[in-house]
Structure formats: structure tokens, C-alpha cells
Amino acid sequence: METAPRVTKRRVRTRANLLDAAFAVFAAKGFGRVSIEEVCEAAGYSRGAFYSNFDSLDELFFALYRQRADLIADQVAGALALDGPDLDVPAAVDRVTEVLLLDRDWLLVKTDFLVHAAREPAVAETLLEHRARLRDAIRERLARARGHTELPAVLGDLEGAAHAVVAAYDGVTTQLLLDRDVPSARAWLKQLLTALLTDGSATTV
């Protein structure tokens, strides 16, 4: 009984190291081209250590996606919560674009997951849950600003505005995967979101 906490901590550390190693390997080679042995080698663990934490490479991949996706959703919610009731759209857009555009490696892993989910309806639920969390964070923030900040009527309701923000992110990051130009992608996303959520100017509505 006395050794249980140490075992638990070791397993948590092992799991975290496996996830970090898998992230690097998946980003470099792509999901479907990676073996359990390659993940174990990158992490410095045996197959036994792998199977004590994950039943399969699929399970590890899902855990990795959820870990990163949940982090991003939390960061977006935090970035949107910094203003008072009167939403400063340009400032909020600046913060959100810094959070959303993490790095190209994440976008590669995310795209692999999207393609995998498109062929597996059960897997798609994980991706849909993440996207719903992002939209919820955006919608809740816009709802708090209602009465203080007006949104363009073309967006319809708050749900429509949240969908538009996520769609803009999807489009910009697809281009980023091809041209690898992070500064341009961040600037373009900022312009798109500002145009979507205001009259297109750089001033608070």
C-alpha cells in the first residue's frame, strides 16, 4: 500500500512521456505509418510499458488528440475571459490567434485525426466534441458581451458566429499546412476574425 503512490506517479510520468514521443513521431511520419515500436523507441520505453498504459496505437492517438484539443479549448476560453462585459474584439482576436495557431506539428496531427475520423463515425464523436467545446467557449463569451458589443447581422445568432470563427480557423490552417508561413497565417486569421466579428475595422464596436 505504501508503494502505490510511487507507482501511480511513475505511470503518470510514463504515460506523459509516451504521449510526447508519439506526438513527435506522428507529426514527422503521419498516423498509420507509425508502429508501436517506433513510439516506444522515441520515448525510451519497452512494449510492456506501452501496453500498461494503452491497449493500442489507436487508443494512444485518441488520448494524444484529446490532451492537446482540451488544452487548446481551455486556452481559448481563458483568452476570451480576460475582457470585461464590453468585448474588445481586436484585443480578443489577438489573444485567440496566438492560442489557436500553436504549431504546424499540431496541425499535422490534427489533420491526421480528421481524416481518420471521417472514415470512422465512432471516432468522429471525439473530434465533434472538441469542436463543440471551442464553439461553446466562443459563444459564451459573445453572449456575455451582448448588449455591449454588436455582431454583424449576417452571422445570425451566437451559434452562427461561433461556427464562423471555427470555419475561418480551419481555412487558414489548411493553407498553413501547405505554405508553412506561420506569421502570414496568424495575420490572415486576425483579419478574417476581425472582419467577421465587427464591421471589419480595427476598433471596438
Side-chain angles (χ1 to χ4, degrees):
M1 295 295 293
E2 293 179 359
T3 61
R6 290 196 296 273
V7 171
T8 298
K9 289 179 180 178
R10 183 164 63 250
R11 288 194 64 181
V12 169
R13 185 168 61 250
T14 299
R15 182 182 176 88
N17 290 341
L18 284 166
L19 288 170
D20 288 343
F23 178 81
V25 176
F26 286 145
K29 301 187 68 173
F31 182 71
R33 298 180 180 178
V34 174
S35 67
I36 290 175
E37 288 77 11
E38 287 174 295
V39 173
C40 291
E41 181 179 356
Y45 292 117
S46 66
R47 286 176 63 93
F50 179 94
Y51 282 115
S52 70
N53 287 275
F54 303 101
D55 291 335
S56 65
L57 207 56
D58 277 1
E59 183 184 345
L60 180 149
F61 189 52
F62 302 155
L64 173 64
Y65 184 86
R66 290 189 185 100
Q67 178 196 63
R68 302 291 173 129
D70 287 348
L71 173 62
I72 291 172
D74 290 342
Q75 289 175 328
V76 168
L80 291 172
L82 294 179
D83 290 324
D86 187 14
L87 180 63
D88 182 344
V89 171
V93 166
D94 280 342
R95 293 193 300 269
V96 170
T97 53
E98 290 295 328
V99 170
L100 283 176
L101 286 175
L102 295 179
D103 56 39
R104 189 170 178 272
D105 284 347
W106 159 247
L107 296 175
L108 286 168
V109 173
K110 176 175 174 281
T111 301
D112 271 348
F113 193 85
L114 172 62
V115 173
H116 186 53
R119 294 188 173 95
E120 299 288 344
V123 177
E125 293 181 9
T126 299
L127 183 59
L128 291 172
E129 288 170 3
H130 164 57
R131 293 172 71 82
R133 282 197 62 192
L134 281 178
R135 291 197 305 271
D136 287 346
I138 296 166
R139 186 178 60 248
E140 289 171 8
R141 181 62 189 93
L142 295 175
R144 292 200 305 274
R146 177 172 280 180
H148 300 270
T149 304
E150 293 297 326
L151 293 174
V154 70
L155 293 178
D157 57 13
L158 295 177
E159 182 68 21
H163 271 278
V165 169
V166 175
Y169 171 62
D170 287 341
V172 169
T173 53
T174 297
Q175 182 66 29
L176 173 60
L177 283 172
L178 300 176
D179 64 23
R180 302 168 182 254
D181 189 346
V182 174
S184 293
R186 182 176 291 115
W188 183 230
L189 182 59
K190 178 180 177 181
Q191 292 174 16
L192 280 176
L193 295 184
T194 300
L196 278 171
L197 299 176
T198 69
D199 60 1
S201 69
T203 60
T204 303
V205 178

